[in-house]
Amino acid sequence: MNTPKKEKDARFGKFGAVSFTTLTKVNDFVDYLQDGKVMATRCKACNTTFFPPRADCCHCLSSDMAWREVAGSGKLVSYSCLKFAPIGFDGDVPYSIALLDYGDYRVFGRIDSNLSLDDIKIGMPMMTVANKLPNGQINYVFKKA
Amino acid sequence: MRSVAIIGVGQSHFVRSYPGAIRELVFEGYKEAMTDAGITAKDIGASVVCSAPEYDKQRSPAGVVAEYLGLNPQPTFYVETLCSSSSTGMRLAYSLVASGLHDIVAVLGFQKMSEISSAESQERMGRGADIQWESPFGTMMPAYYAMYAQAHMAQYGTRPEDLAAIRVKSATYGQINDRAVYRKAVTPEMFTNPEDKMSGPVASPLRVGDCCANADGASCIIVASEDKARLFSKKPIWILGVGAATASVNLTGRDLFTGLRAAEQAAAMAYAMAGVGPKDIDIAEVHDCFTIAEIMAYENLGFAKPGEGPELIRSKATYKDGAIPVNVDGGLLSKGHPIGATGGSQVRTIVLQLRGEAGPMQVKDPEIGLVHNIGGVGIYGNVTILGNQPAGGKR
Ligand SMILES: [Zn+2]
């Protein structure tokens, strides 16, 4: 049987205002994101949840993973509002990067640009929401829970 | 394992933009260290070359460096752990000598950051974080450390004035260090005056004055076995403890945001190996790439309890005449931070202090010194303890 020549699966290049990675085994993350879902992976063998999602489990060496939605709210661990940006992000400033703690995993990302800094307090509950960017790219942001 | 000592130290002036090639820059640190040690190239068994490769146009710089310094045909190799590359080089040199594989090893650190623009350099250093999952959000080094500062402030009430006080101290000593890139005074008022450049926001709560100066520079440390140290050196400085640890690159893997876990762990290892504790340290060089980093270092090294780091700077305990002088050469903030050269420069400062040769920066009769050098945002933690007597020797 003739197998058709496989196209390069570069879906991950859609992730973030500027992406630095195109090929990864967790490319489905981007499809879920496009459907409005932020996903983690869970090792089917030892049940560990990973965010960011991984294709391989470093605890039990299994590569049998299931997708699991990053649901509910996490606590804001810390954040910083940038007034300078690296090349490629200049148009976005000011913007805030932040970390949420969901208990058995944490999520790193950006705070929704519609939120005022005055409304942001360390320890507050926030949720992770898929977000389409003006240039056709896609990421996720943290909103008030 | 054999006892290991440092018999020569050198560094170039740290400058904004070095008017020469990388090999010529490295030569400046090498020449001073070799003169200091009183040895020639044929005495050196191997060289370890340290830098952060994202700044280098030259691929595999160890080869050209060894050639230019006349270190062929001895083995040479390159090592990298971002901003702590030359501390990692020191760790390797220590093990090469302690194991008996080589008797004398040269550790050569360098960085010519001016090869690329500042924005480009921020972007490249940012890629020292997780490029798959963090960089797409537009991250950069100051913003990561700013997240630690924000958490420290929220948990312990650390104030922007405390951060400014760290910079004021660094500038106090940068002014008397002729190798420093930033030789001017800094006052607390500069941080509150909106007209002053120092107060300009970078990544909240960090301001321009909270961030270290980019620089071009080179450092060189000559590491030797006990026999060679006694043969060549009147004042060998002994490596008593070397600690190194790592933490996850992605912040999602971290469990502490008011300090650096890898620094704590590296310190515990170095103290245990040296058989000393924080109270035995007479002088320290810590990795103050940002002001908050020095406050966290006080706590991670055990000079202060968690949350009490700001008290050390408020009481001036870390000034030259204080209980535990820290970064009295200007630190990364004023002396400058040429990534791959930084660890070696910190070691040089402590070696000169322990020999009593630190000139206007000299503290009174230190016997044991410590170097804390961090790669990335707490990815690579390195702590080295040095003494003017060998392990078990009289103090
Ligand atoms: Zn597993």
Side-chain angles (χ1 to χ4, degrees), chain A residues 43 45-48 50 57 59-62:
Chain A
C43 173
C46 76
N47 217 24
T48 308
F50 294 103
C57 178
H59 301 299
C60 71
L61 305 184
S62 167

Side-chain angles (χ1 to χ4, degrees), chain B residues 153 158-166 188 192 207 313:
Chain B
M153 287 173 161
T158 304
R159 304 182 300 237
E161 304 91 277
D162 298 324
L163 301 183
I166 294 287
T192 50
R207 302 144 295 187
I313 189 68

